[in-house]
Amino acid sequence: MRTRLICANWKMHLDRASITTYLEKLNDGFVSGDGFEVGLFAPSVYLSQMPGPLGDKVIWGAQNFYPEDKGAFTGEISLPMLKDISCPAVLVGHSERRGVFNESDELIALKMNKALNDGFKVVFCCGEALEIREKGGDAAFVRAQLDSAFAETDPEHLDRLSIAYEPIWAIGTGVTAEPGDAQAMSAEIRCWLKERFGDQIAEKMRILYGGSVKPGNIAEIMSGPDVDGSLVGGDSLDAGSFLEIIRNSL
Ligand code: PGA
């Protein structure tokens, strides 16, 4: 049985005061249990405020980093800097990093391996654009993203990885993948994992769904046997709504 993982991706939202209030509110309403974990991905400037009163009840992490330890990389933050503030987790491969910031598959693979090799927990994001789905190329596209990101990955580190399937057409659009689509792609990803890394790793890997997840649709999405959690953007910005998503995921 895989432990469910429900993550908030705050993107470029919230501020110091609202994060303080959020963490208090989440802590007050927090449901404890063995069967699930909660992750919070904060803007890097506020990471040192994390995880506040929640302590080790949550996994928290950065939305981005650059895969060099130090150097002339104006504007970037490194994994050693994240370690320095005891940050345990990172997101890699989010479609906004790929699309808005032109992160290539090569850079994403470098980030992936560097973060895993340096001991971080990683949520790796993949997913296709609408044109690709309409032409029936979604499974091949996601498989190619996985092939590229994990070409050099040491299987020893994979217990720190989760994979989030986030179809680009469902992110921030209010359009959610049908529960059947989320399940079908999660099963495809698990099948890829079996072929690439074997049954044991595939069975243990948590596969999350992301894209317009809300308190009202999460239970149905999570009913797919291969869907083990979610990565929530817009509806994670309010602690009350994120708490409801957590409760409805269990
Ligand atoms: P959304 O974003 O929930 O606002 O669609 C999800 C994500 O990008 O991780």
Side-chain angles (χ1 to χ4, degrees):
M1 182 69 183
R2 295 178 289 269
T3 305
R4 295 180 161 200
L5 176 61
I6 317 301
C7 294
N9 172 13
W10 295 338
K11 307 191 180 183
M12 201 171 72
H13 294 288
L14 306 182
D15 58 19
R16 189 207 295 261
S18 56
I19 290 175
T20 303
T21 314
Y22 187 112
L23 297 175
E24 281 162 7
K25 221 173 148 186
L26 193 62
N27 191 40
D28 290 344
F30 204 78
V31 231
S32 303
D34 290 338
F36 72 100
E37 290 179 326
V38 172
L40 302 172
F41 290 91
S44 39
V45 72
Y46 300 122
L47 283 171
S48 46
Q49 259 179 275
M50 305 293 289
L54 286 152
D56 57 14
K57 286 188 215 163
V58 291
I59 298 162
W60 55 282
Q63 299 167 13
N64 188 38
F65 62 94
Y66 194 68
E68 291 286 344
D69 283 349
K70 59 182 170 184
F73 302 105
T74 302
E76 294 297 325
I77 59 169
S78 70
L79 291 172
M81 289 173 183
L82 292 174
K83 260 198 190 149
D84 195 29
I85 58 161
S86 306
C87 174
V90 288
L91 285 181
V92 174
H94 192 280
S95 61
E96 286 148 19
R97 297 296 323 166
R98 295 176 191 264
V100 184
F101 300 100
N102 296 319
E103 287 195 8
S104 63
D105 282 341
E106 292 70 29
L107 177 63
I108 288 165
L110 271 177
K111 292 173 82 167
M112 180 77 246
N113 291 319
K114 174 93 174 118
L116 285 176
N117 293 343
D118 285 8
F120 284 81
K121 295 183 174 170
V122 178
V123 176
F124 171 77
C125 308
C126 55
E128 81 288 352
L130 188 58
E131 313 85 82
I132 296 172
R133 174 160 285 259
E134 283 173 346
K135 287 188 194 133
D138 43 312
F141 183 84
V142 168
R143 277 177 166 268
Q145 285 184 322
L146 296 166
D147 283 337
S148 157
F150 298 104
E152 311 274 323
T153 304
D154 180 348
E156 290 287 305
H157 299 322
L158 291 177
D159 55 340
R160 280 184 276 104
L161 176 77
S162 306
I163 298 178
Y165 169 57
E166 298 206 307
I168 297 171
W169 44 272
I171 295 181
T173 57
V175 180
T176 317
E178 292 297 319
D181 293 335
Q183 163 56 25
M185 187 62 85
S186 301
E188 185 71 38
I189 293 171
R190 208 174 297 288
C191 179
W192 179 89
L193 284 162
K194 265 188 196 142
E195 291 161 19
R196 172 73 178 82
F197 294 112
D199 285 4
Q200 219 183 340
I201 285 175
E203 282 311 317
K204 277 196 190 156
M205 184 68 63
R206 286 179 300 184
I207 301 175
L208 321 181
Y209 167 78
S212 299
V213 168
K214 300 174 187 12
N217 61 22
I218 184 69
E220 207 182 350
I221 290 167
M222 295 285 297
S223 66
D226 287 292
V227 183
D228 306 308
S230 60
L231 180 58
V232 190
D235 269 55
S236 75
L237 295 177
D238 174 77
S241 138
F242 188 54
L243 274 168
E244 242 190 291
I245 291 175
I246 297 171
R247 286 196 202 102
N248 295 349
S249 305
L250 308 180

